[in-house]
Amino acid sequence: MTWHWYAPTGGKDKTFYSKNTDFNLPLALTPGTKEHELLLADMDCVAEQLKKLRDHNVPVLWRPLHEADGAWFWWGAFGAEPCKQLWRLMYDRFTNMHQLNNLIWVWNSSVQEWYPGDGESDIDSCDIYAPSGNYGPVRKHFELTDALAGGKKMIAFGENGAIPDPDQLMASSTPWLWYMTWGEGFVLEGKSTTDEQLRKIYDHPSCITLDRLPNWRHFGGSE
């Protein structure tokens, strides 16, 4: 689950984009400011929605503050340190104050400078939009992301265009945990990944699709 966080102080159009808001993150991280109050209010509002899933025993792959190092979103516009502070603030507030024990925290950047630390993420990921028809394993970006925690965590594609070929992934020992292909033209039009290639991926023995998952409601039970 990704949170496209509209700037707490507003702006124009889609205010998660830095160009559409003048929201000042360093100021918002300062207790006592109006921006800080709005920042916390947004977090608390989202936390209440996540509690509904927690109360129904639904785990959530939680991927906030995505693509921060690109700076096109407001949470990355002021550099690495404010972004890491924001991540840690959210992690502490959601985990300790709101008791959201159903969240699996997914960090989303392969740049070491931006990494908030091993203790505040469960899975590390990066976003790569390979050119249409390029089904290579994207090994370099896997290695960069894997290095964040010294090879101790699972690594996922937060977002992707063309989907890597599972045979190439196996041959190169590049075990991406999952991929999340941006919809619309990246899938529906068959340009980024052809229909034939998509069927190969879904049918491949190394790929797990929904129909091959266990019944989690009775996992470990007799049913």
Side-chain angles (χ1 to χ4, degrees):
M1 182 180 291
T2 298
W3 181 11
H4 272 88
W5 190 350
Y6 278 64
T9 54
K12 62 179 182 179
D13 195 24
K14 298 176 179 178
T15 61
F16 46 79
Y17 286 123
S18 303
K19 65 182 181 180
N20 291 341
T21 182
D22 59 1
F23 185 65
N24 188 311
L25 178 55
L27 186 62
L29 291 168
T30 304
T33 64
K34 182 63 175 179
E35 288 80 0
H36 188 69
E37 294 177 6
L38 292 171
L39 190 77
L40 297 183
D42 275 8
M43 289 188 197
D44 293 343
C45 181
V46 169
E48 290 305 315
Q49 301 306 310
L50 292 169
K51 286 177 183 177
K52 297 176 183 178
L53 298 174
R54 178 201 64 190
D55 294 344
H56 284 83
N57 298 316
V58 177
V60 176
L61 290 164
W62 180 238
R63 177 179 164 263
L65 311 187
H66 59 294
E67 299 180 0
D69 62 282
W72 41 80
F73 297 131
W74 62 259
W75 48 85
F78 290 87
E81 289 306 316
C83 181
K84 289 189 286 187
Q85 291 177 43
L86 178 60
W87 177 278
R88 291 166 183 152
L89 174 63
M90 184 190 300
Y91 182 90
D92 178 70
R93 196 170 186 86
F94 280 17
T95 302
N96 297 312
M97 176 178 165
H98 289 289
Q99 296 292 299
L100 287 167
N101 58 7
N102 62 321
L103 302 185
I104 301 169
W105 290 78
V106 182
W107 174 250
N108 185 232
S109 170
S110 60
V111 182
Q112 187 72 53
E113 178 188 357
W114 291 75
Y115 190 50
D118 292 349
E120 287 84 23
S121 73
D122 299 304
I123 295 171
D124 295 330
S125 69
C126 67
D127 295 1
I128 301 295
Y129 284 84
S132 297
N134 184 340
Y135 307 132
V138 201
R139 178 72 190 178
K140 176 182 177 182
H141 291 281
F142 179 90
E143 291 175 347
L144 288 172
T145 312
D146 191 43
L148 294 176
K152 295 181 293 185
K153 296 191 177 182
M154 294 179 286
I155 307 301
F157 257 138
E159 294 176 23
N160 63 279
I163 304 171
D165 185 281
D167 288 329
Q168 294 192 45
L169 294 178
M170 298 292 287
S172 62
S173 298
T174 310
W176 292 103
L177 181 60
W178 74 71
Y179 61 84
M180 187 180 75
T181 308
W182 203 257
E184 301 170 346
F186 290 101
V187 174
L188 301 180
E189 296 177 6
K191 295 179 180 178
S192 187
T193 302
T194 65
D195 292 346
E196 179 182 6
Q197 181 69 13
L198 197 60
R199 282 192 291 270
K200 173 185 177 180
I201 294 166
Y202 272 63
D203 291 338
H204 200 277
S206 68
C207 297
I208 300 175
T209 49
L210 181 61
D211 60 303
R212 295 171 59 195
L213 288 173
N215 184 340
W216 296 111
R217 292 186 180 277
H218 304 290
F219 190 68
S222 58
E223 296 185 44

